[in-house]
Amino acid sequence: MLSEPTLTSRAEDGRDIPLLVWRADVPLRAVSSGPLGGGIGVRRWVLNATVPMSYDRDDPAAHLAALAADLALDGPGVGLLTGVDVAEVVARTDTGVRAWVTVGLGTPVLAAAPAPAALAQRVGTVNIVVYVPARLADSALVNAVATATEAKTQAIRELRLPGTGTPTDSVTVLCPVDGPEAVYGGPRSTWGAPLARAVHAAVLAGGTGTVVPWSEQQPG
């Protein structure tokens, strides 16, 4: 089982910067596009770290690993970064599937936009973390990432924003390592359908208001 996230912070450059941490009571199967712990494997925790919009480190995986060590997070995990205040996480549940989303849309981009148009847009990040209470096959985990992305894009369309996501969006899906294996994760499958509804509802709720990057909320 994956815990509800815990909000904490780190001291950096004289400021307290928020962190969101999920811990698993037992190891979980996971698929992730995160800079730390990406791919398919067994993971024990997820870390979603706020960073300033000026963030320019070229070693995000090493940075996230150091943050995880500071939090005494043991074993393999997933690390994500966002310019959004992770305290603004939005959670939704549907038929046992739980989704947590930090929504930083800024001005979203179209995935297939020409490079100059994409570069002209302000970058934001939508980080999606999902727990499915059934073991998913590798193929179903990959399909679940696609389903979550489709649901996110549906929400962005309903928000009437001119894009499909942002250049730095990330999806992480976790599930138990044991039990009967579900082989499908598409939007009409047993677990893909509630996953899609939970992610869609979370992104829609998170994108409805104006989200100001964390660093732009700080004095100076």
Side-chain angles (χ1 to χ4, degrees):
M1 179 68 72
L2 191 65
S3 70
E4 290 295 322
T6 300
L7 181 65
T8 183
S9 65
R10 69 189 188 276
E12 193 171 290
D13 297 327
R15 296 180 292 184
D16 290 329
I17 306 180
L19 299 165
L20 205 59
V21 184
W22 292 258
R23 292 176 172 86
D25 52 6
V26 295
L28 298 173
R29 281 172 49 77
V31 60
S32 178
S33 60
L36 177 66
I40 295 178
V42 175
R43 305 289 184 260
R44 298 193 67 103
W45 48 264
V46 179
L47 172 63
N48 193 9
T50 294
V51 294
M53 292 298 283
S54 58
Y55 187 83
D56 60 358
R57 290 186 58 155
D58 59 5
D59 61 343
H63 184 199
L64 284 160
L67 295 178
D70 289 343
L71 293 166
L73 296 173
D74 296 326
V78 173
L80 313 172
L81 296 170
T82 178
V84 172
D85 183 346
V86 294
E88 299 176 11
V89 64
V90 177
R92 292 291 184 271
T93 301
D94 192 301
T95 320
V97 175
R98 294 185 288 162
W100 301 269
V101 180
T102 51
V103 183
L105 287 167
T107 304
V109 300
L110 294 166
L119 292 173
Q121 306 289 344
R122 181 182 182 185
V123 175
T125 300
V126 179
N127 281 340
I128 298 170
V129 176
V130 177
Y131 175 75
V132 176
R135 175 182 168 87
L136 301 179
D138 285 357
S139 57
L141 281 171
V142 173
N143 205 172
V145 172
T147 298
T149 303
E150 290 177 26
K152 173 199 69 179
T153 301
Q154 179 183 341
I156 292 171
R157 179 178 178 181
E158 292 174 13
L159 290 167
R160 301 185 180 278
L161 298 174
T164 54
T166 88
T168 52
D169 290 353
S170 179
V171 179
T172 300
V173 180
L174 305 104
C175 68
V177 299
D178 298 318
E181 189 173 75
V183 296
Y184 302 115
R188 292 297 174 267
S189 66
T190 299
W191 295 110
L195 182 154
R197 292 191 296 265
V199 170
H200 171 264
V203 175
L204 193 62
T208 298
T210 300
V211 177
V212 178
W214 174 85
S215 53
E216 294 180 13
Q217 301 174 18
Q218 306 306 303

